[in-house]
Amino acid sequence: MSATILTQPAEQDALIVTLNRKGYMLSKPEKYIQAFIDFSPHAPGPVLDIGAAYGVATIPALAKGAYVIANDLHEGHLQILKSKVPPSLIDHLELKSGKMPDEIDFEENSLGAVLTSRIFTFILPEEFEVSVEKIFKWLKPGGKLFYLGGSPYMGTFRKFLPTYQKRKAEGHRWPGFIEDIPSCTPERACDLPHSMHLLDEEVLSRSLLRAGFVIETMGFNSALKEHPEDMKLDGREQIGAIACKP
Ligand SMILES: C[S@@+](CC[C@H](N)C(=O)[O-])C[C@H]1O[C@@H](n2cnc3c(N)ncnc32)[C@H](O)[C@@H]1O
């Protein structure tokens, strides 16, 4: 799979890579991804990286000593990830291709941690709720979910903001669901799927609490400095959470 570097070679410590209509992969962990990496070797079981892409979280977690199951919809992404793993760590890596939530499954109480970094933006609201419930079931007590995703305040979707705000005022259940990405952001549409789901604190906490999680931390997070300018808005571009299965 080809990857396009969006930033300039001079900034090579901070790149964002496009992924064939599946958005962009960060090349360096941001804080919720780093929290998953740091927790992974201490997790009460193997850890799962959903939508792992080329391994921004999986590879550092392996390096810290964790046993990591890397999932992605695209087998090709997982093969690139595998090719980047040092031979000494490969026996701690398991690849599991398939679409979340319907094509992958694990035993109840079998996982120590789960990362969903910027992947639930790509599934439908109903699938999101099912996914959170499944993850809760898969985790062992004491296991944690690390969530990172786009918020309605991503600069990319600034044309959608008034719709989001109107829906919010009307009490819409899923105010951040964008049905038609090409009309919202024509200049970025070629890198994105046709619809996307942006979460705010209310929607994310409602789904986590409904599944049974205890929320340890949650908040908006700014775009990284390496994000292109059009993706930035006001410092609330991303939302993250860490939630524990009691
Ligand atoms: C935007 S990238 C995020 C990559 C990385 N986790 C990060 O935070 O930079 C989304 C990745 O999730 C994968 N993906 C998208 N929808 C998925 C789904 N329903 N199930 C599993 N993987 C999915 C894509 O193929 C892509 O590799």
Side-chain angles (χ1 to χ4, degrees):
M1 171 143 314
S2 66
T4 310
I5 306 302
L6 293 186
T7 47
Q8 297 305 310
E11 298 170 62
Q12 256 173 4
D13 62 332
L15 302 177
I16 296 177
V17 180
T18 64
L19 299 165
N20 196 16
R21 292 191 78 84
K22 292 294 172 196
Y24 309 93
M25 187 192 86
L26 304 175
S27 61
K28 290 204 311 195
E30 65 71 67
K31 76 171 185 184
Y32 287 95
I33 301 180
Q34 190 60 50
F36 165 79
I37 293 166
D38 293 341
F39 180 71
S40 288
H42 313 290
V47 303
L48 170 66
D49 182 3
I50 300 177
Y54 305 158
V56 62
T58 289
I59 295 172
L62 285 168
K64 287 223 168 195
Y67 185 95
V68 187
I69 305 163
N71 155 264
D72 204 283
L73 181 59
H74 286 288
E75 177 64 30
H77 290 183
L78 294 179
Q79 289 308 322
I80 293 171
L81 182 160
K82 190 178 175 189
S83 73
K84 294 166 63 180
V85 174
S88 60
L89 301 176
I90 209 86
D91 62 342
H92 274 55
L93 173 69
E94 187 179 325
L95 301 181
K96 205 168 188 74
S97 62
K99 179 179 178 294
M100 184 74 184
D102 16 290
E103 293 177 3
I104 57 168
D105 206 3
F106 296 90
E107 277 185 30
E108 194 165 349
N109 296 322
S110 65
L111 299 177
V114 176
L115 173 69
T116 70
S117 172
R118 306 177 332 104
I119 171 262
F120 283 169
T121 318
F122 298 111
I123 62 177
L124 298 171
E126 300 72 25
E127 294 177 313
F128 167 66
E129 214 153 52
V130 172
S131 298
V132 173
E133 283 164 10
K134 281 192 157 192
I135 291 168
F136 184 84
K137 192 180 84 175
W138 298 337
L139 282 170
K140 294 182 177 187
K144 294 187 186 188
L145 166 63
F146 297 78
Y147 176 92
L148 178 69
S151 86
Y153 304 100
M154 281 190 85
T156 318
F157 308 113
R158 66 190 76 226
K159 265 171 78 177
F160 172 73
L161 199 50
T163 305
Y164 162 75
Q165 284 161 337
K166 180 168 178 291
R167 286 179 181 173
K168 198 78 192 151
E170 292 168 356
H172 200 291
R173 185 163 172 73
W174 304 109
F177 183 61
I178 309 179
E179 292 87 350
D180 187 2
I181 288 290
S183 69
C184 175
T185 177
E187 53 294 334
R188 289 254 174 228
C190 62
D191 293 333
L192 299 171
H194 197 269
S195 65
M196 288 179 71
H197 188 205
L198 307 169
L199 300 187
D200 61 23
E201 285 176 307
E202 190 182 348
V203 173
L204 180 56
S205 61
R206 183 186 71 212
S207 299
L208 292 173
L209 296 173
R210 186 173 178 269
F213 281 105
V214 174
I215 298 170
E216 286 187 355
T217 178
M218 172 180 298
F220 289 114
N221 208 356
S222 63
L224 302 179
K225 73 172 171 22
E226 64 262 34
H227 275 110
E229 284 308 309
D230 66 303
M231 292 187 183
K232 297 177 183 167
L233 188 71
D234 64 359
R236 294 182 290 173
E237 292 83 356
Q238 306 188 88
I239 181 165
I242 302 174
C244 185
K245 177 169 175 174

